[in-house]
Amino acid sequence: MAKISRRKFVKQFIGTSSGIALLGSTAPLMSSGNSLNTYSNSLKVFIPMPVQVVIDDVGWWSGTDGSKKQEPYRTGISRNHVPADYQAIADLGKALNIKPQAAFILCEWDRDNILRKLPTSTWMGEKWDNSKWVGPWLEAAADIIRCSRDYFELTVHGIGHEYWEGGTFTRAEWTDSSGQMRPSDQVKLHLEYYNKLLNQNNLGPFPRSFVPAAFRHSFGPSEGRKVSLAELLKEHGITYINTPFSSMYNKERAQYEHFGSDAGVITVDRGNDEFPWLTFPANPMAELKGPTCGLHWPNMLHPHPEQNPEAVTRWVNYLKPYNEKPDMMLAPNSVDFQNQLAHHTLTRINQETQPIELDFTETDKLPGSVGKEELTLKILSDKPLQFRSESIEIKKQSLLEGNEFLYVLNLKRKAHQLKALISFKE
Ligand SMILES: [Zn+2]
């Protein structure tokens, strides 16, 4: 299927007066989350683009970049990591009422040296010894994670981040630098051991989300492999991958501008991070253009852990305004994120007059449950309004603080309804 970019869409249709006819007759992959049908002066309806926060390389205790001595890059900071660094992620989540994804590396959480049996996963191979990093900080950090379930999502990133053979590593753990997935039996073992490490530390059930280490990834099967990495991840319950499409192999297979479905696993384009992984701390400013706010752990931490809140506050102040924009929103969690992104991309707003009409025909062609449940609508009006509907459940309608008459409607679809009509009155 062809991709139609937002820019192309704008170029093609802006300035026309018959928005309804155009939207009704154009290609099915049209993105409709914008509000280009400007025939109605009093109302603008948006299916806002969700933004998900994804933080890479969480989980290390050593901050040392070991790449020159065949150890992992880790986070490359000038100090070790401490439980307060985990608290910083939960604090970010709590301040914004979101669940940031912590893309987690687990080798330095190995309490029993089980990774000796998986020599490709660490720099010490069969002589793996993690005793240096076994201490009370493990339980302190695990406790922060367990107590912050609403504000912290553990995402699979890797065990040792790279892939070791004969004492040297190549990038990266799941896929090599020419885009070929590691042998299936190794991928399966790495996932099994990831699960064992989670269990050792009581870090909860196996995650539903994945960020490929070093962003080495192929969409669909890579050369010489029968199955894709997504398919193997799916066997462990993973439903969603986040990675930059710019470095993804076979990216042309992704069906839409911001995401694709690989063996039913939603794969979202991370876009380009504002900062390199070593920026410590960062001062975010660049406008987000895509659905992911990607960063690395040091970007939101401080050289003095007790000052982490200062670094976190910068990110909170940077991200908060996206909730106040009519055409964007912060995703509350990664599941809502996938649903909203599907609607933003595929659900059509056929009318912005009375009643507002939403069409889910294209959205429902996605596999699985994505797009079948909840979505958020934002409606900009020049007068106060009340909304009601028989064909979709309005779970909540609220007026966005600080903006006059910018309504946020939290909707839940009714089964078997391909269209929803929402009427409004003053
Ligand atoms: Zn990484």
Side-chain angles (χ1 to χ4, degrees):
M1 283 191 274
K3 279 189 286 186
I4 296 176
S5 74
R6 170 68 48 80
R7 187 171 298 134
K8 208 162 153 191
F9 175 61
V10 172
K11 226 168 145 184
Q12 209 169 347
F13 295 109
I14 203 151
T16 59
S17 56
S18 54
I20 300 174
L22 277 172
L23 279 169
S25 62
T26 46
L29 289 178
M30 193 67 65
S31 171
S32 63
N34 43 38
S35 180
L36 293 165
N37 33 345
T38 51
Y39 56 91
S40 164
N41 290 327
S42 58
L43 205 68
K44 281 190 175 181
V45 183
F46 299 86
I47 302 172
M49 179 166 73
V51 171
Q52 177 68 19
V53 177
V54 181
I55 306 160
D56 284 21
D57 300 334
V58 178
W60 294 113
W61 288 109
S62 166
T64 307
D65 172 0
S67 56
K68 290 202 174 62
K69 42 179 183 169
Q70 296 305 321
E71 291 186 18
Y73 286 81
R74 300 195 185 84
T75 55
I77 64 167
S78 48
R79 63 167 172 81
N80 292 331
H81 287 281
V82 291
D85 296 345
Y86 295 82
Q87 187 63 50
I89 298 171
D91 288 349
L92 177 73
K94 198 167 186 182
L96 294 167
N97 204 19
I98 62 168
K99 267 175 94 161
Q101 281 174 249
F104 223 94
I105 293 292
L106 274 174
C107 64
E108 289 180 347
W109 288 67
D110 184 2
R111 293 163 179 266
D112 304 322
N113 291 327
I114 60 168
L115 295 178
R116 283 179 190 176
K117 296 203 186 97
L118 187 62
T120 54
S121 70
T122 74
W123 55 104
M124 296 183 209
E126 283 157 4
K127 297 194 177 99
W128 169 247
D129 180 7
N130 190 47
S131 52
K132 183 179 173 186
W133 296 114
V134 177
W137 47 85
L138 288 177
E139 191 49 29
D143 197 49
I144 290 166
I145 295 166
R146 287 193 288 265
C147 292
S148 311
R149 282 275 174 236
D150 291 340
Y151 307 114
F152 191 112
E153 177 179 338
L154 202 153
T155 291
V156 177
H157 194 40
I159 292 176
H161 206 282
E162 322 302 342
Y163 191 82
W164 283 267
E165 288 164 299
T168 57
F169 77 70
T170 46
R171 304 211 91 181
E173 181 159 353
W174 309 100
T175 298
D176 72 19
S177 285
S178 56
Q180 189 184 45
M181 185 180 79
R182 301 297 180 184
S184 291
D185 57 336
Q186 279 293 319
V187 170
K188 287 179 187 173
L189 280 170
H190 280 237
L191 289 168
E192 259 172 51
Y193 274 78
Y194 196 92
N195 196 33
K196 286 177 202 262
L197 294 170
L198 287 172
N199 291 338
Q200 267 187 18
N201 292 282
N202 199 9
L203 285 170
F206 200 82
R208 311 287 306 272
S209 54
F210 176 83
V211 173
F215 304 143
R216 303 302 201 268
H217 187 64
S218 168
F219 189 97
S222 49
E223 210 172 330
R225 302 285 181 244
K226 287 194 183 73
V227 295
S228 67
L229 178 60
E231 218 163 328
L232 298 179
L233 295 171
K234 194 165 73 174
E235 287 170 14
H236 280 261
I238 285 172
T239 59
Y240 145 64
I241 295 168
N242 192 301
T243 195
F245 282 11
S246 57
S247 62
M248 182 170 76
Y249 292 86
N250 305 309
K251 55 176 168 276
E252 67 284 353
R253 294 174 182 166
Q255 298 90 339
Y256 310 106
E257 183 186 357
H258 294 304
F259 74 97
S261 171
D262 179 355
V265 177
I266 297 295
T267 305
V268 178
D269 184 8
R270 173 182 174 118
N272 297 320
D273 295 6
E274 183 179 352
F275 301 101
W277 59 290
L278 283 168
T279 309
F280 178 49
N283 190 16
M285 274 186 284
E287 192 186 343
L288 289 170
K289 300 273 190 238
T292 308
C293 174
L295 63 147
H296 285 76
W297 206 15
N299 300 160
M300 55 161 300
L301 300 176
H302 195 280
H304 305 290
E306 64 281 6
Q307 285 172 260
N308 279 348
E310 290 171 24
V312 170
T313 300
R314 288 182 188 175
W315 285 93
V316 171
N317 292 341
Y318 165 71
L319 286 164
K320 210 170 209 165
Y322 286 97
N323 260 341
E324 287 143 26
K325 288 168 79 107
D327 57 346
M328 291 179 89
M329 61 180 282
L330 299 179
N333 58 63
S334 72
V335 174
D336 286 349
F337 170 63
Q338 295 167 62
N339 285 317
Q340 184 69 19
L341 187 59
H343 286 293
H344 171 76
T345 308
L346 294 169
T347 298
R348 284 195 242 163
I349 305 163
N350 282 343
Q351 284 184 193
E352 292 183 325
T353 50
Q354 185 76 281
I356 298 161
E357 187 188 283
L358 302 177
D359 183 342
F360 303 113
T361 310
E362 290 305 317
T363 320
D364 282 1
K365 290 178 183 168
L366 287 173
S369 62
V370 173
K372 313 274 189 312
E373 299 261 332
E374 301 194 3
L375 72 147
T376 296
L377 220 58
K378 288 190 180 181
I379 301 170
L380 207 52
S381 162
D382 59 0
K383 46 184 170 296
L385 296 171
Q386 283 287 322
F387 300 89
R388 53 185 297 275
S389 177
E390 301 285 315
S391 45
I392 195 162
E393 184 191 339
I394 302 177
K395 286 183 71 188
K396 196 176 152 200
Q397 48 181 296
S398 48
L399 195 55
L400 209 62
E401 270 178 63
N403 285 282
E404 221 174 349
F405 314 129
L406 177 56
Y407 290 93
V408 182
L409 266 57
N410 298 107
L411 306 172
K412 188 173 193 318
R413 290 185 61 189
K414 293 184 176 175
H416 315 301
Q417 293 271 5
L418 272 182
K419 286 188 178 174
L421 301 175
I422 302 168
S423 57
F424 51 90
K425 62 176 177 31
E426 286 180 48

